[in-house]
Amino acid sequence: MRLTTEALGGVLRDGPFRSFWGAFMLSGIGDAMTKTALVWYVLETTNSASAVGLLLLAYAGPVSIGGLIAGHLLDRFDRRRVMLVDNVGRGLVVASVPIAAATGNLMLWHVYVAAALYGLLFMISLAGTPTLIPSLVRKDQLNAANSLETLGFTVSGVAGPALAGFLIGGISAPYVLAVDSVTYFAFALVLATLPLRSEAEPTATTKTSSYRLTDAVRLLLGNSVLLSTTLMFMAFNAGSGFLQVWLPLHANALASGDGAQLYGILLAVLAAGETIGALGAGTLSGPLSEGRMICAAQILAGLGLGLALVGQSVWSTAPALFLLGFFSGPMTAWAQTLRMRIIPPELHGRSFALLRMLMQASAPAFSAIGGVLFPVVGLTAMIGMSVGLIAAPGVVGTRVRSLVASTTPVDRDLGGW
């Protein structure tokens, strides 16, 4: 279904949702700035690929554990209050970095601890946002609200790295985090004053299910569509994990040792490609199934990134990142449609938590591996491995008949999996 500008404008005219969406997008911009600044601070301080890889592992590794914790907290307690506490807590964690820098007490371990705490709590607001949206808008506005939520997330990926890149040169990396801390406190203030449609918000006490996490595991292992897309996305994220290591080092080399601005711009180019691709996903229609489109998009995303191997200049790297983002942007939406058809509604929470945990885990793990490999194999090999990990699974996916079928069979009997 295509969304009209009237539908988007209608939901934005709703004051509470507009405030929530604006604060959410502002906080997302701050998050993107923080990640860019932390990576650059570690690179500038250590000039070590392995140190950057360890930071990315500390940054994203705890997300897997935090995802399961977030789901429990959001179902057990008032969701708005859980998100409010999360934003205040992460705001204080992020603010501790510029405070330590101002007092001359900032150490490298402090940055790693702050990154790990951020990663542990990250899923609370990321998972909490879609749980609050039904409490803010009418049912007929849900599609428009969800579209704007996705747009806010991708826009933050464009603006945040570019802003961080420019600010790092003026105020240095640690002080960029002061901006992010303000966005957390602003988001918390909006949450504290947010009026909800209480009748629209589901409560944990009204939900009863005999399903367990083991049922979600059985479903994943027994359904070829779920298993193949999960493995494909894990491989994609593994290639992205390598990219997160070699890209800042490559940008620094291209800019002759002062590449903070270029690094931010390149990340913004990648996010811009994702935004345009994601927006275009809803307008595509035709004879191809979602599974075939996922396979084709993953192959094209990998091949697009391969352009970075040509000359290894800004003029090849920037288009390569844009193509990677453009072709990969729609993949999550298409996969989500497939999963919604297959997973019973009563098992959504446990299944999506499991899938999210598995797919999130591969990027930080391969960032750590990439940090060790980079000094040994060099830039060209690292780019090549990123390309292979991203593109090859798409080729393999075309051999999974149930994935590329024009229609995906829906099996609601857990005993049959």
Side-chain angles (χ1 to χ4, degrees):
M1 182 178 67
R2 299 187 183 186
L3 295 172
T4 65
T5 54
E6 291 80 5
L8 295 175
V11 73
L12 283 175
R13 283 193 291 271
D14 185 287
F17 176 79
R18 185 175 62 247
S19 298
F20 176 80
W21 180 68
F24 165 79
M25 184 164 60
L26 183 65
S27 181
I29 292 173
D31 284 349
M33 292 173 65
T34 285
K35 185 174 183 179
T36 305
L38 288 180
V39 168
W40 199 258
Y41 175 78
V42 171
L43 178 62
E44 193 174 47
T45 302
T46 67
N47 196 31
S48 167
S50 60
V52 172
L54 287 175
L55 172 71
L56 293 170
L57 179 62
Y59 206 97
V63 170
S64 300
I65 300 173
L68 296 178
I69 298 173
H72 172 75
L73 292 175
L74 290 166
D75 285 341
R76 177 67 178 82
F77 302 103
D78 179 88
R79 291 163 178 168
R80 176 175 54 172
R81 291 180 182 176
V82 171
M83 290 180 62
L84 193 156
V85 172
D86 163 59
N87 276 273
V88 171
R90 280 197 292 160
L92 293 173
V93 169
V94 170
S96 70
V97 173
I99 290 173
T103 58
N105 296 314
L106 182 61
M107 302 291 183
L108 195 61
W109 65 263
H110 187 171
V111 171
Y112 284 100
V113 170
L117 289 173
Y118 170 91
L120 184 64
L121 300 173
F122 173 70
M123 286 305 304
I124 292 178
S125 285
L126 188 64
T129 294
T131 69
L132 275 187
I133 286 177
S135 305
L136 290 167
V137 300
R138 302 188 309 269
K139 288 183 178 180
D140 63 322
Q141 295 176 315
L142 281 176
N143 285 316
N146 287 328
S147 176
L148 286 169
E149 187 262 343
T150 301
L151 179 62
F153 188 78
T154 54
V155 167
S156 68
V158 176
L163 287 173
F166 284 104
L167 286 175
I168 287 170
I171 61 176
S172 80
Y175 296 106
V176 173
L177 275 68
V179 179
D180 190 18
S181 66
V182 172
T183 69
Y184 278 118
F185 299 136
F187 198 3
L189 180 61
V190 169
L191 288 167
T193 59
L194 198 63
L196 300 180
R197 301 171 186 265
S198 58
E199 69 276 9
E201 183 178 12
T203 60
T205 56
T206 63
K207 302 175 186 175
T208 58
S209 173
S210 60
Y211 290 138
R212 297 169 296 176
L213 182 60
T214 53
D215 295 313
V217 174
R218 287 173 53 218
L219 171 56
L220 171 63
L221 296 177
N223 187 284
S224 57
V225 174
L226 290 179
L227 184 60
S228 58
T229 54
T230 300
L231 292 174
M232 288 168 63
F233 280 40
M234 288 177 68
F236 183 98
N237 289 340
S240 296
F242 278 163
L243 182 147
Q244 291 177 40
V245 172
W246 62 256
L247 184 59
L249 294 165
H250 187 34
N252 205 33
L254 290 174
S256 302
D258 185 23
Q261 292 185 10
L262 178 59
Y263 176 52
I265 291 171
L266 290 175
L267 288 176
V269 168
L270 172 61
E274 292 173 342
T275 301
I276 296 172
L279 287 174
T283 65
L284 292 177
S285 61
L288 293 182
S289 66
E290 289 93 349
R292 283 188 184 275
M293 290 192 291
I294 290 170
C295 293
Q298 189 152 355
I299 294 169
L300 291 171
L303 294 178
L305 181 61
L307 185 62
L309 291 168
V310 180
Q312 296 182 8
S313 67
V314 174
W315 305 112
S316 61
T317 303
L321 293 172
F322 180 85
L323 291 174
L324 170 64
F326 177 77
F327 287 116
S328 64
M331 287 169 48
T332 298
W334 292 333
Q336 201 80 322
T337 300
L338 283 175
R339 292 164 187 153
M340 286 290 187
R341 290 179 189 162
I342 296 168
I343 303 170
E346 314 86 63
L347 199 54
H348 276 180
R350 294 169 179 83
S351 294
F352 286 121
L354 174 65
L355 297 177
R356 198 162 46 232
M357 179 181 67
L358 292 173
M359 289 183 286
Q360 288 282 346
S362 58
F366 275 76
S367 289
I369 295 170
V372 176
L373 285 179
F374 187 90
V376 178
V377 302
L379 175 65
T380 301
M382 288 291 292
I383 297 176
M385 286 188 286
S386 290
V387 170
L389 283 167
I390 290 171
V395 177
V396 176
T398 62
R399 310 303 299 171
V400 181
R401 292 183 180 180
S402 56
L403 177 62
V404 299
S406 57
T407 58
T408 302
V410 179
D411 192 345
R412 293 298 190 200
D413 179 11
L414 270 177
W417 285 318

